[in-house]
Amino acid sequence: MTTSIEQPPAGVPDATAARAADHLWMHFARQGRHPEAPVPVITRGEGAYIWDNRGRIILDGLSGLFVVQVGHGRRVLAEAAAKQAAELAFFPVWGYTTPVQAELAERLADLAPGDLNRVFFTSGGGEAVESAWKAAKQYFKLVGKPQKHKVISRAVAYHGTPHGALAITGLPAMKKDFEPLAPGGFRVPNTNLYRHPEFADDPKAFGLWAADRIEEAILFEGADTVAAVFLEPVQNSGGCLVPPPGYFERVREICDRHDVLLVSDEVICAFGRHGTTFACEKFGYTPDLITCAKGMSSGYGPIGAMIASERVMEPFLRPGVAFPHGYTFGGHPVSAAVSLANLDLMEAEGLNQRVLDNEAALGATLRRLLDLPIVGDVRGDGYFWAVELVKDKATRETFDAAERERLVRGFLPGALFDNGLYCRPDDRGDVVVQIAPPLICGQAEFDEIEQVLRQTLTEAQEVV
């Protein structure tokens, strides 16, 4: 639903776009934009919608970046930030605390499964992953197994951009410009069932096969050298790869058998995205460490965390032991206060249950797109879905490099936005469009998402 209000006169450049073009180094973006393709400028948000500088209303089908669980413009969160900033805007957790940092740590420990009771704050998700790897390596040194330092993760999985997190990330193209990276990251197959049609009639067998590849990698590298396995409950990169039945049960068994820590990377999946505070609960496993960020504050303040089990924490509590690691803005008091208010708001509005009640409807609405020749698969869970695009539906053939350039970087981002939907075309694996609306959305927004996708993907068929 795109409407136009107060558009600048034709040929008159927007001042914000011009400033950005001259001075803003944007993230994950090509900087050399042509003047005829100015930087999109987002000016405000309310509920599930955002407005651009031309007055157009666009449905935020990605929650900003899998972040804005409670929607835009929630005054109660802005007020919580202002109140905390007026009282105490900043103090670090470097041997000190503030009331909101201590309260948020206790709140997260109460919400986390099992005995994951100790919270290490960061200012974002990549820092949380970095912290978890460092904690795992030091943990094994403290318990007398200093050779255990390697990490197993999945092909195509994204775990962040710091050098350590990037070494865990399973995307070679994303890493090549920054090599050499921290040593010790190794990859296993992911759980893309669509790309393993031989298991189509037995997804449980596929889950066990994929999990067993993790044990195979641990044994190949040597169990005495592997510290941790990093897995997202539902893998983001590659397009919402849902765990098959039995997968995480087997992974937990494998990690226990070889004394390897299981890290649930929930930077995207936590805080209601799948209808539970932590998605590992929904998929039936208890990890040793959780990494989280994004939805903790619904994006109203930058914050992340690593949450550790009592087992992992025990050697760090010994006399004279320190974890020589931290971040200036980790657990920032304003962000902590906003996070507490955000968790209160999510609880008051029953957003976890709302996701559980509506996830089937969102999936069914998106699966209507399977009648389009360009749509090969629709998959996901909760409010986290992907539409995989193909060149040939019968053979599942994907697009070549030139076609990806035209489709993923040339056509889809602008066309989707112009048609009234902000979401994410992505080809870090095969070509997908990712959908992750705010948790306040319902059937009306689902229908609008499907209608814009249908219009745009129909147009995309002509492009490729």
Side-chain angles (χ1 to χ4, degrees), residues 13-25:
D14 178 82
T16 301
R19 291 188 189 103
D22 290 342
H23 301 293
L24 179 63
W25 195 336

Side-chain angles (χ1 to χ4, degrees), residues 113 233-234 243 248 266 269 272-285 352 355-357 359-360 380-383 385:
V234 176
F248 274 112
E266 305 207 16
C269 293
R273 183 56 53 189
H274 296 279
T276 52
T277 301
F278 294 103
C280 57
E281 298 176 273
K282 186 174 187 180
F283 295 107
Y285 67 100
N352 280 359
V355 170
L356 296 175
D357 291 344
E359 61 179 341
D381 181 87
Y383 274 33
W385 289 78

